[in-house]
Amino acid sequence: MSYDVKIFNSLDELSEQFSQLLKSEVDSEDKKFNLVLSGGSTPRNLFKYLSVNYKDQINWSKINFFWGDERCVPPSSDESNYKMAYDSLLSKLQITDTNIFRIRGEANPLEEAARYSKTIKNNVQIEDDIPKFDLIMLGLGEDGHTASIFPDQMNLIDDKRICSTAVHPVSSQKRITLTGSVINNAKNIVFIVTGK
């Protein structure tokens, strides 16, 4: 696996480069493009950038939208990763609900992890017995966590399940997350990180 680190001078520059990458990747596929969105404050700005500057440049109807993790809150909550993505991007695009595969944060976490795993398995190409997403967006928390794989729950990196549950180490809030096995099997992974 190769990687490349790119440093930008502004959030707009980062957003433009990601937008170009996403457009190129979607254009190069002749099938549905399976994209995993991340939560947090940085993607909100990126999503708004996409909705303004790439609304008509990307074939959004070709993209299936999934999430890397979700807090166990209803979709109407300001803490919901789904709500953030819907408000800042999805609601502004010409797509149908059939393109949106949200994690049901309001459901029982264990049951939802199982349901979402099945949803992914039924809609994403499987390679080496693991779903292979076309592109996974990830953030990076101040404690180094990505998705909802926290430093005190590193067993989730090698977990062979598609989705699992996690608990925020400070707030004790329950989360549903993709495991490292799925993340590491993606065709492309992009970390969106801001700050020095």
Side-chain angles (χ1 to χ4, degrees), residues 23-62:
K23 177 175 168 37
S24 172
E25 291 293 318
V26 171
D27 287 348
S28 70
E29 288 290 339
D30 56 4
K31 60 175 180 54
K32 280 285 191 178
F33 187 88
N34 293 309
L35 172 65
V36 174
L37 302 178
S38 65
S41 57
T42 301
R44 177 184 289 114
N45 295 317
L46 170 58
F47 295 160
K48 286 179 180 176
Y49 187 93
L50 279 164
S51 73
V52 170
N53 299 287
Y54 280 79
K55 182 178 181 180
D56 300 319
Q57 294 189 46
I58 292 175
N59 183 359
W60 295 104
S61 64
K62 190 175 170 182

Side-chain angles (χ1 to χ4, degrees), residues 81-140:
N81 288 336
Y82 163 77
K83 182 181 188 305
M84 183 275 288
Y86 186 82
D87 290 349
S88 55
L89 177 63
L90 302 177
S91 64
K92 310 206 175 4
L93 306 176
Q94 297 295 318
I95 57 171
T96 65
D97 288 345
T98 57
N99 292 71
I100 300 172
F101 298 86
R102 78 173 180 91
I103 300 172
R104 296 175 184 162
E106 71 276 19
N108 173 284
L110 288 173
E111 291 174 5
E112 180 56 13
R115 186 203 68 84
Y116 203 60
S117 295
K118 188 175 180 180
T119 296
I120 290 171
K121 206 167 190 177
N122 290 339
N123 290 281
V124 178
Q125 174 189 343
I126 304 295
E127 186 175 294
D128 300 324
D129 294 323
I130 304 169
K132 188 172 191 71
F133 284 99
D134 294 300
L135 177 61
I136 295 182
M137 291 177 60
L138 293 172
L140 191 64

Side-chain angles (χ1 to χ4, degrees), residues 2-34:
S2 63
Y3 66 91
D4 187 17
V5 176
K6 295 182 180 178
I7 299 172
F8 304 106
N9 294 318
S10 69
L11 191 52
D12 276 356
E13 191 179 336
L14 179 155
S15 298
E16 176 61 25
Q17 290 299 309
F18 178 84
S19 300
Q20 289 180 19
L21 170 70
L22 179 61
K23 177 175 168 37
S24 172
E25 291 293 318
V26 171
D27 287 348
S28 70
E29 288 290 339
D30 56 4
K31 60 175 180 54
K32 280 285 191 178
F33 187 88
N34 293 309

Side-chain angles (χ1 to χ4, degrees), residues 1 131-136 182-189:
M1 181 180 285
K132 188 172 191 71
F133 284 99
D134 294 300
L135 177 61
I136 295 182
V182 175
I183 292 170
N184 288 323
N185 201 45
K187 182 178 172 186
N188 283 303
I189 302 168

